[in-house]
Amino acid sequence: MPLVYITKYSLIKIGGILDIPYERSLSASKAIHTIIASHTKEKIFSSPELKVMTMTLAVNDILNTETADNIKIMNQRKSEFHSRKQRVIFYQDRLTYHYYKDCPNLLSDYNNFTIPVEIPEHRIEEYRQYFINNIDTFNRNEEAYYAQANAFFRVHMSPIKKSHHANSGKESVSSNNLLQSSTDEEDGKYIEEALSFFQTYKKTINKYGYASHLKEKLLQENKMSIEDYKIITAWHILKTNTKSEIISKIIKINQHSEQLFSEEVMIALGFHGCATCKTLNEKSINKALI
Ligand SMILES: [Zn+2]
């Protein structure tokens, strides 16, 4: 069976369906802490951030070492229930792998929209449907959409809810390339860059840093100044690069692959081959035949 590509977003998604043994999490977590400790004693990541990094590494480790028969999947219904409760309009219920590294679906970002916190959990599904039914109004006039939605759901939502939700494939590929092209002397380049920024803007970062994903909301609600917003935006990017750097480094040390996995394992996890890749494949076969 061939090796196939998946996005970093899919890797994180797998964390939600895979049964990860404790020892795997523990060794992943130790590896992360060792790298951070070799640079600093500062707490630059929050516990949830460390948890996602640990899970990504543990999943990568399992995908690189286990056979399709040995992959243990959590209760399928439980994981499906979990994704339905995600506060995004388009949750990915279909997991896809790719045959080509340059597949547009692997590289492109897609637009998603968050589901406002004001919508109670038991109405998420209803809101999702409502949003899709009224997406034309939303695209034409967001204010009008929220006025109408507020009346319908009897809540008050603040109208900054559009998010350019990266599928992280592009990010992963580009930072990966950057890391591969950097020499060993430059090892730890991003973490050092992040640390020097951290020292300069420690006060602001400590105030908001852990909530950097909420910066738009805080700015909108006048709970954050525009200067702080700029600092936190820069910090968010530095942190993202640092996380990629740490994960890539450990994967490299373990001599694992970062994006290429066995197709058989992906199928065992419930993934499907990307339709675009299949078309690209047929075209290249036809070309070869002509
Ligand atoms: Zn594809």
Side-chain angles (χ1 to χ4, degrees), residues 207-259:
K207 194 172 172 193
Y208 301 110
Y210 287 172
S212 57
H213 57 292
L214 298 174
K215 58 188 182 306
E216 274 81 18
K217 191 174 186 293
L218 293 171
L219 181 72
Q220 176 80 9
E221 291 169 357
N222 288 326
K223 287 177 184 163
M224 185 188 258
S225 70
I226 190 78
E227 288 78 26
D228 286 351
Y229 176 81
K230 283 178 187 162
I231 293 169
I232 294 303
T233 302
W235 174 238
H236 189 76
I237 296 166
L238 285 168
K239 245 188 349 182
T240 306
N241 286 338
T242 306
K243 285 184 218 170
S244 292
E245 183 178 49
I246 293 171
I247 289 173
S248 297
K249 191 177 174 172
I250 299 168
I251 290 173
K252 229 166 156 187
I253 291 169
N254 293 343
Q255 297 187 322
H256 282 163
S257 129
E258 187 159 14
Q259 276 186 302

Side-chain angles (χ1 to χ4, degrees), residues 94 96-98 105 272-282:
R94 196 177 157 87
T96 319
Y97 60 79
H98 307 265
N105 296 341
H272 300 272
C274 160
T276 309
C277 279
K278 279 181 186 160
T279 315
L280 287 172
N281 191 22
E282 278 161 20

